[in-house]
Amino acid sequence: DGARILRALLQTHAALHLARYQPTARAAAAVFWVRFCPAETRTLWTAKLKGFSARNKLFPGDTAQQTYITALQKLIAGFVEQTQLFPRELANEAGEYLFHELVGGDSFVVSKEGDHLATAFHQHLVVKSGEDEFNESLAPLAAHPESQFDLIRDWVRGFLLGRNGAMQYLEEVTAILFCGDDLKRHVVPAATSETLAGMKGAHGLIRESTYQFDYLDFRRRLLPFEKEVVPRFNQFHELKQQLLERERKRLRLHEFKPRVLGSFVRNQLVDQLYLPLVGDNLAKQIGAAGALKRTDLMGMLLLISPPGYGKTTLLEYIAVRLGIIFIKINGPALGHAVTSLDPQEAPNAAAREEVQKLNLALEMGDNIMLCVDDIQHCSPEFLQKFISLCDGQRKIEGQWRGQSRTYDLRGRKVVVVMAGNPYTESGQKFKIPDMLANRADTYNLGDIVSGSADWFKASYLENAVTSNAVLAPLANKSQKDVRAFIRVAAGGSREQETFEGSYSQQEVEELLAVLKKLVKIRDVLLRVNQEYIYSAGQADEFRTEPPFRLQGSYRNMNRLTEKVVPIMNDAEVQALLLDHYQNEAQTLTTGAEANLLKLREMIAIQTPEEKARWEEIKRTFKRNQLTRGGDQNDPMGRVVTQLSVFQQGLEGIQNALEKQLTKTQAPIVIDVAPLGRSFDALRNTIEEKVAKAPGDGDPSQMRSLMHEMEMLHSTLATLKDLAAQQRDHLKSSQDLLQTRSEQGVVEIQLTQEMLTNERAFLEKFHEVLATAEQKPEAGK
């Protein structure tokens, strides 16, 4: 329909020539020029515009002179202002028309309809015998042309009444009759209206698929639209853009556009494992396409892994492919202090911004991926706010511009994702509410999933391709070539592999040289990754060695890959690895030594001195585990420490006796008198502690002390058995000792009385502790 109307408009516009101007504007120009323009002014402008016309013939291309047009518009504006015969707003159009009319010649164009109506008016007067009466009414007004024009207009208006659509030619017909023979006119034969059939749209002006197109009426409505509505619309649009830009900056909408890192690689692990897993969850949350779409939309995606395994990058990639807004909520900025979705309750500006961003996502309500990142830094009370959003209700309470809102997101394209790293120090606070964890599909991106070990191993190398100058060209090749090179570098047969791209022999050798070194690095990083996850998953009270905190992630692999060159030997690769982890361990401060020694043990390069030092660290760590958390200013803590030292001494004696029993030569003297004195002092300390213990003492501390004493008793009993075995050994060696009597007889100075007294003391102490638990006052 638009094309039909535009075609008719353009064709009529071209056919009408100057008759395309409004009849009233042409009438105003003609009346001014013929009847009201002073002779001197008319002569002057005729000469000027005749000269301009001659110039156009020699130098075409500039058919309008705005200065002349403006001057004529001012003349007509003065005429309109003085006579009040025409509307003031027509002065500009009339002046422009007059300029083109005078440049083109000395005649004025008249529309076919206007000329026909003027002729019909005369004929009507003749038929009605009113021609003389008409002329007689005009004669007294000859000296007053304005009044004469008004009278003629009244007669013509009466004539045009009842003629459909003819009233728009009122001014033109009046001007023809008013100017008479003084107006040299040229009739334009083109019609100003046309009937357009076959219209498809529904509109008030379309009747039975037919639209009566009238050029003059169409342009009468179009010109005000161009002059008033369009400028106002442009101003509105500009103001809207300014407001949108201001709000866009205030809301930081540019942060919600997902941007995939240039190093992201769709490796086998992503294609074959991660994307299907994530896809299954998204189908549960927003529904699959077609007949597979579910009606019970619910759930949440939970991704966990050590840092550097691309959790956020994977999610941004999926958001790009789905074409949805990616809104990431920064968990560290929230912290454990944020427990509400009300921005006003946030403790600082950064947390407030994140909560506002979360509420903005809920206010959007559609086509969003809401990702709460690093949730190990978030409070469980905050996370439980998402429980109702992740079940079948898909509802959540929020705050928007100070007003509480209940957001119902059922049937909306909303994906809820959480990502976290439970393996860091803050992992001790990594607590997800049970009801939320029950609604989540949980995947660990940093661990080897059953059945995908080869993909996981290969992903280290596939992700690192873009980080090395030699391997970078492979990033633009087929993924099949990348995998083929990796298989050959890992020990596969080169003859069985075919490449889709073309590579020179030198390129192949350089690529394989780098990849073989990366395979060795990859194997070390995998071992480090496994040890890191294993160590991080242990509770501190069950550790037998210091925690291992070096990491073997994709990020570590990329950092090492960029430094590998084909000419490196194995020693240089090993040095590169050690230098890398030496730098990584600097952030561990006091734990750096233990972690580096553990790393060297894992890759079997410990020296004897390093091995001895590592064993010493583990022994000290075990001993410190017994007194972990004790306060040296607390008498009870000092008692526990003394027990630990005492037991260590007993264990040393036990080890010495065990070694002695395996020897054939005469045993050595073991003097346990100092040990007995130490035990007596310890017993006195305990008795003093029990005697002076406050009535509200902690029974748990007493139980812990009793446990330590029982362990001590067990060790002493073992020592007694070993001493007895030692006496038997001495008796069987009596003959040898007689021949060496000058060396003296070995005696074991371990008294049975001490062991008996120790047992009695423990029994009494146990009785006191039991009384203290039941009756604290009696236990004083």
Side-chain angles (χ1 to χ4, degrees):
D1 288 355
R4 290 171 180 267
I5 296 173
L6 179 61
R7 185 181 301 109
L9 176 67
L10 294 177
Q11 291 174 351
T12 306
H13 182 82
L16 289 177
H17 298 287
L18 293 180
R20 62 180 177 268
Y21 288 93
Q22 290 291 326
T24 304
R26 290 188 283 109
V31 169
F32 164 72
W33 186 255
V34 174
R35 297 291 301 271
F36 288 89
C37 183
E40 298 83 1
T41 303
R42 188 164 49 245
T43 302
L44 174 63
W45 277 100
T46 300
K48 289 173 66 174
L49 296 180
K50 185 177 180 181
F52 182 77
S53 177
R55 191 221 70 166
N56 282 346
K57 294 178 181 178
L58 294 176
F59 307 105
D62 183 16
T63 59
Q65 217 319 340
Q66 190 59 42
T67 304
Y68 293 164
I69 294 175
T70 303
L72 291 173
Q73 288 173 339
K74 290 181 179 180
L75 290 175
I76 295 179
F79 154 70
V80 171
E81 185 72 23
Q82 180 181 0
T83 62
Q84 300 293 318
L85 294 177
F86 299 96
R88 295 179 182 180
E89 59 269 16
L90 287 176
N92 289 338
E93 186 178 359
E96 182 180 341
Y97 161 74
L98 182 59
F99 170 81
H100 291 292
E101 197 71 273
L102 296 178
V103 168
D106 56 354
S107 62
F108 289 79
V109 298
V110 175
S111 65
K112 183 176 68 171
E113 292 82 359
D115 182 69
H116 173 73
L117 290 172
T119 303
F121 178 78
H122 281 295
Q123 292 176 352
H124 184 77
L125 292 179
V126 172
V127 171
K128 296 295 184 180
S129 300
E131 188 175 6
D132 293 338
E133 187 177 358
F134 174 69
N135 292 330
E136 289 174 359
S137 64
L138 295 178
L141 303 176
H144 301 280
E146 297 93 335
S147 300
Q148 194 178 60
F149 184 86
D150 283 336
L151 182 59
I152 295 174
R153 181 190 286 160
D154 288 338
W155 279 73
V156 175
R157 182 183 292 108
F159 170 71
L160 296 180
L161 287 175
R163 296 177 180 267
N164 188 24
M167 196 59 71
Q168 62 182 330
Y169 298 100
L170 171 64
E171 303 296 341
E172 184 178 17
V173 174
T174 303
I176 293 173
L177 298 176
F178 176 70
C179 295
D181 295 337
D182 293 335
L183 179 65
K184 298 180 181 179
R185 61 182 188 267
H186 168 67
V187 179
V188 177
T192 59
S193 61
E194 181 181 352
T195 300
L196 303 180
M199 303 296 284
K200 304 297 183 182
H203 192 272
L205 298 179
I206 298 177
R207 302 181 184 279
E208 297 180 357
S209 301
T210 301
Y211 171 58
Q212 192 65 35
F213 171 75
D214 189 306
Y215 176 86
L216 297 178
D217 178 68
F218 188 89
R219 192 161 182 226
R220 178 182 58 80
R221 291 183 285 112
L222 180 63
L223 290 178
F225 178 81
E226 291 179 344
K227 293 179 180 180
E228 298 177 12
V229 178
V230 171
R232 290 167 60 190
F233 173 79
N234 289 335
Q235 293 175 5
F236 159 75
H237 186 69
E238 183 179 354
L239 178 61
K240 182 176 70 173
Q241 291 301 318
Q242 292 174 358
L243 292 174
L244 287 175
E245 186 63 27
R246 186 186 69 186
E247 291 299 304
R248 184 179 291 111
K249 291 180 179 179
R250 186 179 70 84
L251 298 173
R252 300 184 302 178
L253 295 183
H254 62 279
E255 298 180 3
F256 304 156
K257 183 178 181 181
R259 298 176 179 87
V260 182
L261 293 177
S263 58
F264 177 78
V265 177
R266 275 192 61 167
N267 51 51
Q268 293 180 91
L269 189 67
V270 172
D271 273 344
Q272 304 298 327
L273 182 63
Y274 292 163
L275 290 183
L277 290 176
V278 173
D280 289 343
N281 177 267
L282 297 191
K284 184 190 301 182
Q285 290 202 56
I286 61 177
L292 298 178
K293 181 177 177 65
R294 296 174 50 158
T295 57
D296 55 334
L297 303 182
M298 64 177 67
M300 182 188 81
L301 177 64
L302 176 60
L303 300 181
I304 63 173
S305 79
Y309 282 91
K311 299 183 291 295
T312 307
T313 302
L314 177 63
L315 295 176
E316 291 206 50
Y317 174 77
I318 294 171
V320 168
R321 304 311 298 169
L322 292 180
I324 60 179
I325 302 168
F326 182 73
I327 300 183
K328 183 177 73 171
I329 309 301
N330 190 5
L334 292 174
H336 286 81
V338 175
T339 59
S340 170
L341 298 188
D342 186 355
Q344 299 303 321
E345 296 185 11
N348 54 63
R352 189 176 306 112
E353 286 292 333
E354 296 303 314
V355 177
Q356 288 176 345
K357 191 192 303 183
L358 172 58
N359 281 281
L360 175 63
L362 299 176
E363 185 70 19
M364 290 180 179
D366 207 357
N367 202 45
I368 60 172
M369 176 182 287
L370 179 59
C371 174
V372 185
D373 201 13
D374 291 325
I375 59 174
Q376 70 271 13
H377 298 283
C378 296
S379 166
E381 187 176 348
F382 171 79
L383 296 178
Q384 72 182 8
K385 298 291 192 299
F386 293 86
I387 291 176
S388 60
L389 180 61
C390 300
D391 60 17
Q393 299 180 39
R394 302 294 274 184
K395 292 183 179 180
I396 189 172
E397 301 295 327
Q399 285 275 343
W400 181 248
R401 294 181 177 176
Q403 300 294 325
S404 298
R405 299 286 302 273
T406 299
Y407 294 101
D408 187 348
L409 303 180
R410 285 177 295 182
R412 304 290 188 89
K413 192 176 179 182
V414 176
V415 179
V416 183
V417 184
M418 293 187 182
N421 171 21
Y423 302 113
T424 61
E425 290 81 358
S426 59
Q428 298 172 358
K429 298 182 179 180
F430 185 81
K431 297 178 181 178
I432 300 179
D434 293 341
M435 295 180 67
L436 184 63
N438 181 261
R439 288 158 172 77
D441 291 335
T442 305
Y443 304 116
N444 190 336
L445 304 189
D447 204 356
I448 298 178
V449 184
S450 177
S452 60
D454 292 339
W455 295 340
F456 187 78
K457 293 178 181 178
S459 66
Y460 273 76
L461 300 176
E462 291 175 284
N463 286 349
V465 166
T466 57
S467 300
N468 186 277
V470 176
L471 300 180
L474 275 180
N476 299 323
K477 303 291 185 179
S478 168
Q479 282 294 311
K480 293 182 179 179
D481 285 2
V482 177
R483 296 162 189 164
F485 275 110
I486 291 175
R487 285 192 295 269
V488 175
S493 174
R494 183 170 173 178
E495 289 72 17
Q496 295 179 356
E497 299 292 347
T498 58
F499 304 114
E500 294 185 355
S502 58
Y503 307 91
S504 65
Q505 184 64 27
Q506 182 180 358
E507 288 178 323
V508 172
E509 295 299 331
E510 288 185 346
L511 291 171
L512 291 177
V514 172
L515 285 172
K516 287 179 180 179
K517 296 170 178 57
L518 293 183
V519 168
K520 296 179 180 179
I521 294 175
R522 187 270 313 271
D523 293 341
V524 173
L525 263 63
L526 282 172
R527 180 70 183 91
V528 171
N529 173 66
Q530 293 170 1
E531 185 63 31
Y532 173 79
I533 294 178
Y534 172 75
S535 177
Q538 284 185 320
D540 288 340
E541 55 266 26
F542 302 125
R543 294 187 185 276
T544 59
E545 60 184 36
F548 186 73
R549 293 173 180 166
L550 298 178
Q551 299 176 20
S553 65
Y554 292 153
R555 189 175 294 130
N556 296 97
M557 187 70 191
N558 288 343
R559 290 173 182 171
L560 288 164
T561 300
E562 65 185 11
K563 300 175 183 178
V564 174
V565 294
I567 60 174
M568 278 185 169
N569 55 36
D570 292 345
E572 291 172 328
V573 172
Q574 186 179 96
L576 175 64
L577 264 170
L578 294 178
D579 288 343
H580 171 77
Y581 279 111
Q582 184 77 32
N583 295 330
E584 291 283 312
Q586 299 306 311
T587 59
L588 304 178
T589 59
T590 57
E593 180 189 17
N595 278 262
L596 290 175
L597 288 173
K598 176 65 175 179
L599 174 67
R600 298 179 74 90
E601 179 188 49
M602 289 164 51
I603 58 180
I605 60 170
Q606 271 188 342
T607 64
E609 294 79 8
E610 291 172 338
K611 184 175 182 180
R613 175 60 178 161
W614 176 233
E615 293 298 328
E616 179 185 357
I617 289 176
K618 290 195 291 185
R619 286 195 302 271
T620 304
F621 179 83
K622 293 177 183 178
R623 184 171 65 251
N624 292 339
Q625 286 288 79
L626 297 176
T627 60
R628 182 172 56 90
D631 185 0
Q632 295 304 312
N633 295 323
D634 179 18
M636 183 66 71
R638 293 199 304 271
V639 169
V640 174
T641 302
Q642 292 179 27
L643 283 174
S644 175
V645 174
F646 189 66
Q647 180 163 345
Q648 182 182 3
L650 292 179
E651 290 176 351
I653 294 174
Q654 179 179 342
N655 292 335
L657 290 175
E658 289 176 345
K659 292 180 181 179
Q660 188 63 29
L661 288 174
T662 62
K663 297 180 180 179
T664 57
Q665 69 271 19
I668 63 174
V669 176
I670 302 177
D671 186 4
V672 295
L675 183 61
R677 289 192 295 271
S678 297
F679 183 79
D680 290 339
L682 174 62
R683 181 170 57 186
N684 292 334
T685 302
I686 295 174
E687 290 174 345
E688 180 183 356
K689 173 64 180 175
V690 173
K692 296 181 179 180
D696 57 351
D698 186 359
S700 63
Q701 291 186 348
M702 306 297 286
R703 286 196 301 272
S704 175
L705 183 59
M706 181 186 70
H707 176 69
E708 297 291 343
M709 292 294 292
E710 290 175 348
M711 292 178 61
L712 179 60
H713 170 72
S714 176
T715 304
L716 288 173
T718 303
L719 183 60
K720 182 182 69 173
D721 294 340
L722 290 172
Q725 295 179 27
Q726 182 75 343
R727 291 193 185 93
D728 294 341
H729 179 74
L730 289 174
K731 186 176 181 180
S732 63
S733 304
Q734 187 66 34
D735 296 339
L736 292 175
L737 290 175
Q738 288 179 352
T739 61
R740 301 171 62 182
S741 59
E742 66 278 2
Q743 299 178 6
V745 179
V746 178
E747 295 181 358
I748 300 299
Q749 300 176 359
L750 177 64
T751 63
Q752 181 66 29
E753 180 182 358
M754 184 184 73
L755 295 175
T756 303
N757 292 340
E758 182 270 335
R759 177 182 293 275
F761 172 74
L762 285 179
E763 292 174 353
K764 181 63 177 177
F765 186 57
H766 185 277
E767 179 182 351
V768 171
L769 290 180
T771 303
E773 285 187 346
Q774 298 174 2
K775 298 178 180 180
E777 291 299 327
K780 288 184 179 181

